[in-house]
Amino acid sequence: MTDIICTVDIALLTLKDASLHVVLLKRENDPFRGVLALPGGYVHAEEDADTRDAAVRTLRTKTGIVSPYLEQLATFSGPGRDPRGWSISIGYFALVPEAVINQAGHPQVELLAVGRLKGLPFDHQQIVEAAVSRVRNKSSYSSLPVYLCGDAFTLPRLQSVYETVLGEPINKVSFRRKIDELAILEPIAGALETGRSNRPAQLYRLKRQYRDQLSLTDRALNAR
Amino acid sequence: MTDIICTVDIALLTLKDASLHVVLLKRENDPFRGVLALPGGYVHAEEDADTRDAAVRTLRTKTGIVSPYLEQLATFSGPGRDPRGWSISIGYFALVPEAVINQAGHPQVELLAVGRLKGLPFDHQQIVEAAVSRVRNKSSYSSLPVYLCGDAFTLPRLQSVYETVLGEPINKVSFRRKIDELAILEPIAGALETGRSNRPAQLYRLKRQYRDQLSLTDRALNAR
DNA sequence: ACAATAGTGTCTCTTAGACAATATCGA
DNA sequence: TCGATATTGTCTAAGAGACACTATTGT
């Protein structure tokens, strides 16, 4: 039986300039040396407990980032996707606020808008598209976009994040009702976002028990 | 780099006696020779175009069944799940009417209720649970359960299938409204399900263009 | 005071569920 | 005709969106 190449690739997504961006790195080795690509690497049977572990390790090693949210996306495979031979890549995606990338990310990390990718090696374009599609879909009935915000954020900011991810405006009253129903946020006592010439907005944070756990709704946020 | 074992496993689900069952086979080889397990096998780099291809081939070879619906589920991995060593299994799930198993399935195929599994080898229990969970969830906002029916079926039958999969009763009027909105079914002219001592039910079939394509709703079927 | 955005009350419209009336079969 | 289940009509309740009113800041 021919050997199969086993790798992981991670689509690390963030929000920058009000649009979804993905982290890319210049490849240090062949194939595609010097080309921008998703952070990825071999699964190390000697040290990884599973492929999620491989994804965490790869992300940390190559970008310096540890993402609180990391989800398995899908597995991509075939004889043609990697010039080295028949390969499998277990794709993962992660969401972080832009600040995390700026603060913890290695300097060579690049951010590209997901809509303007071109010439990505392997099937990385397809992986990014699958990740974006999953995030869009899941955002419509879950608290997923919260992971794109920092520790503290206002409701208008959160709504704007949802709108960017979903790609359509959301009714303000409905949005606040939904978020209220989810009951995952708590106001930070006395903390307001000041500085702009309007009424300041209340700052919120995720309740402790929801830090590492998605919250789902049974009805979609925006049913059009 | 240590070699990694690459396999596929398929959770082939069907409805029998008004409950979800999964197809199991007695393993012909070690490890776990003679034990009931999911149909599965190595990915063959020489002949498979990708892992989906490997799943189709494995399912056809081991059970005799070709399922119109086959979806990648998730990838399971680690050093402990297979006694032969660090392994990866790309899990798939498929849905077929019971009649397909009875007619096309190899004689050694066994059907077990998904709630009564025990002692499955590898992490097959976990794979089945993930498959059932995915099917439950997806059924609440899609036409997925149609694949558990035959070519022709009545609306009461389809509703009963949904109810079995979802595990809860559905409002009849709402159900019919949803199915009507989906617009994926067409009545078979003049075909009624007779034989019982009540008003006969109209037989329906999937419109041709939806034969190989799921149909999604934006609002869940049963929001309870 | 004014412009701007935050936060909230409330009305309307859409959709889901309850209930029941009618339809059509075999016995 | 009766019992059983299919099919359909319609009323009611719940949820989503529209609109607008009040609140609070900097200028």
Side-chain angles (χ1 to χ4, degrees), chain A residues 1-4 6 42-46 48-52 72-79 86 88 90 92 134 137 141 218-220 223-224, chain B residues 1-4 6 42-46 48-52 72-79 86 88 90 92 134 137 141 218-220 223-224:
Chain A
M1 190 186 55
T2 314
D3 272 357
I4 291 175
C6 287
Y42 289 107
V43 175
H44 292 176
E46 328 81 47
D48 297 327
D50 53 25
T51 58
R52 156 178 281 267
Q72 189 183 305
L73 181 61
T75 295
F76 302 81
S77 59
W86 216 105
I88 279 177
I90 298 103
Y92 284 81
R134 171 84 61 95
N137 186 50
Y141 63 90
D218 45 355
R219 290 169 191 275
R224 182 70 55 97
Chain B
M1 192 185 52
T2 316
D3 272 358
I4 292 175
C6 286
Y42 289 107
V43 175
H44 291 177
E46 328 82 46
D48 297 326
D50 53 25
T51 58
R52 157 177 281 266
Q72 189 183 306
L73 181 62
T75 294
F76 302 80
S77 58
W86 217 103
I88 280 177
I90 298 103
Y92 284 81
R134 171 84 61 95
N137 186 50
Y141 62 90
D218 46 355
R219 290 170 189 276
R224 182 70 51 93

Side-chain angles (χ1 to χ4, degrees), chain B residues 39 57 62 122 161 198 211:
Chain B
R57 173 182 54 74
K62 301 219 169 179
F122 309 102
V161 169
N198 53 29
R211 278 289 157 73

Side-chain angles (χ1 to χ4, degrees), chain B residues 83-162:
Chain B
R84 286 168 291 190
W86 217 103
S87 69
I88 280 177
S89 172
I90 298 103
Y92 284 81
F93 74 93
L95 301 180
V96 292
E98 190 189 359
V100 166
I101 295 176
N102 295 332
Q103 287 159 22
H106 291 168
Q108 64 271 33
V109 157
E110 302 221 20
L111 279 177
L112 256 79
V114 295
R116 287 190 201 130
L117 303 178
K118 56 180 180 199
L120 292 192
F122 309 102
D123 46 9
H124 285 189
Q125 171 100 27
Q126 196 187 333
I127 296 178
V128 174
E129 282 164 8
V132 170
S133 170
R134 171 84 61 95
V135 170
R136 287 235 157 92
N137 186 50
K138 208 151 182 170
S139 293
S140 72
Y141 62 90
S142 81
S143 58
L144 191 60
V146 168
Y147 290 100
L148 291 168
C149 297
D151 292 332
F153 47 87
T154 67
L155 289 184
R157 163 67 181 160
L158 183 60
Q159 176 169 358
S160 150
V161 169
Y162 267 89

Side-chain angles (χ1 to χ4, degrees), chain B residues 145-146 148-163 172 175-176 179 185-188 190-196 198-206:
Chain B
V146 168
L148 291 168
C149 297
D151 292 332
F153 47 87
T154 67
L155 289 184
R157 163 67 181 160
L158 183 60
Q159 176 169 358
S160 150
V161 169
Y162 267 89
E163 288 174 337
K172 182 171 55 169
F175 178 76
R176 283 165 178 255
I179 297 296
L185 301 185
E186 58 188 8
I188 305 176
L192 300 178
E193 185 195 54
T194 59
R196 288 191 304 166
N198 53 29
R199 175 171 174 176
Q202 174 68 50
L203 283 166
Y204 291 83
R205 65 177 161 227
L206 255 187

